[in-house]
Amino acid sequence: KSLAHQDGGKAGEGFKVFFAAFVAVVFESENRPPSTRGHVEAAFRIPEPFRAKFRESITPLLVTTLTSKGGFNLEKLKPYAETFGLLVRDKVVDVAGALKTCAIVLSKAENRAAGLLMLLHTATMCPQADLTSSTAYAPLLKSLSDIQDPQYAAQIAELRGILGSAQAARSPARSSSQGAFSPKESSPGLIYPAEIGKVAKAGVPFKLQSKASLAAHSGAIFTV
């Protein structure tokens, strides 16, 4: 069924109904699907301008939910984390920004479990070269090393196995500056949970900008 109304004047209302139904089925339902992959990929096949609206709506929902200080258990966060990983995989979310976000979330004790979940889905879904070629990769490894809480030992060991395999698959050549955030790579796509909180309180929506077409799902950057 088309999202657009016949008069063409209430397409925005049609999208709101669609997005609310998507969130209810994929994230909130007790009978939600075991994986969000099929629903997310189908949503990105809807026509413009609704694809852009979906892209602009889904990402802040994921990040604000995953960086919430409470109210969600890990089981309920899993579909959000999986969807986040899918968006990073498909370049809807900038890889460097995603890794930087994970590192920031990991640094906060109240969000650490969610951060590990985000990172696990991102690491397992993204091509290894995308992870290790980012300047956000080395600082992320340090963030993992800084976690000493034994309750996270199993998750960290699993992540080290995934990220270690990615590192081993890299070319031996490596710039001496790798691991430092350069303005060119670190500025676009960085997502700061603290900023998200301030924007949410102010009631100002996040907007997405892209250097490439939405169809290609590449080059997305976040601005507030």
Side-chain angles (χ1 to χ4, degrees), residues 6-196:
Q6 289 183 348
D7 62 7
K10 296 185 178 180
E13 292 182 14
F15 174 78
K16 288 179 182 178
V17 172
F18 163 77
F19 190 72
F22 180 93
V23 171
V25 170
V26 176
F27 298 128
E28 298 175 351
S29 173
E30 292 295 329
N31 298 315
R32 62 179 179 267
S35 173
T36 66
R37 186 185 304 258
H39 289 77
V40 171
E41 292 175 350
F44 275 110
R45 289 196 292 269
I46 61 177
E48 296 289 9
F50 304 107
R51 185 166 64 230
K53 287 180 177 291
F54 180 79
R55 185 178 184 173
E56 292 168 1
S57 300
I58 191 67
T59 311
L61 170 68
L62 298 176
V63 178
T64 52
T65 301
L66 288 164
T67 58
S68 172
K69 291 186 178 181
F72 292 93
N73 59 41
L74 286 183
E75 192 60 34
K76 289 186 177 180
L77 286 179
K78 284 181 180 178
Y80 293 89
E82 180 190 8
T83 303
F84 182 81
L86 287 169
L87 298 192
V88 180
R89 180 200 69 180
D90 292 340
K91 304 297 193 299
V92 175
V93 171
D94 176 71
V95 175
L99 296 184
K100 177 66 175 178
T101 299
C102 288
I104 293 172
V105 177
L106 289 173
S107 70
K108 300 177 180 294
E110 65 271 23
N111 296 126
R112 191 159 292 151
L116 290 168
L117 191 63
M118 290 172 68
L119 181 55
L120 179 61
H121 282 282
T122 301
T124 55
M125 290 181 181
C126 292
Q128 293 180 340
D130 287 354
L131 297 174
T132 58
S133 63
S134 170
T135 53
Y137 180 71
L140 177 66
L141 294 182
K142 183 180 184 305
S143 295
L144 281 176
S145 299
D146 290 341
I147 300 174
Q148 302 297 323
D149 194 329
Q151 69 174 309
Y152 301 122
Q155 295 97 314
I156 292 174
E158 182 178 4
L159 278 165
R160 284 188 180 283
I162 297 169
L163 295 172
S165 297
Q167 190 174 39
R170 289 197 62 189
S171 167
R174 185 182 181 92
S175 168
S176 60
S177 63
Q178 187 75 18
F181 290 101
S182 66
K184 182 178 181 181
E185 182 171 356
S186 64
S187 295
L190 294 186
I191 313 167
Y192 294 96
E195 291 181 358
I196 291 170

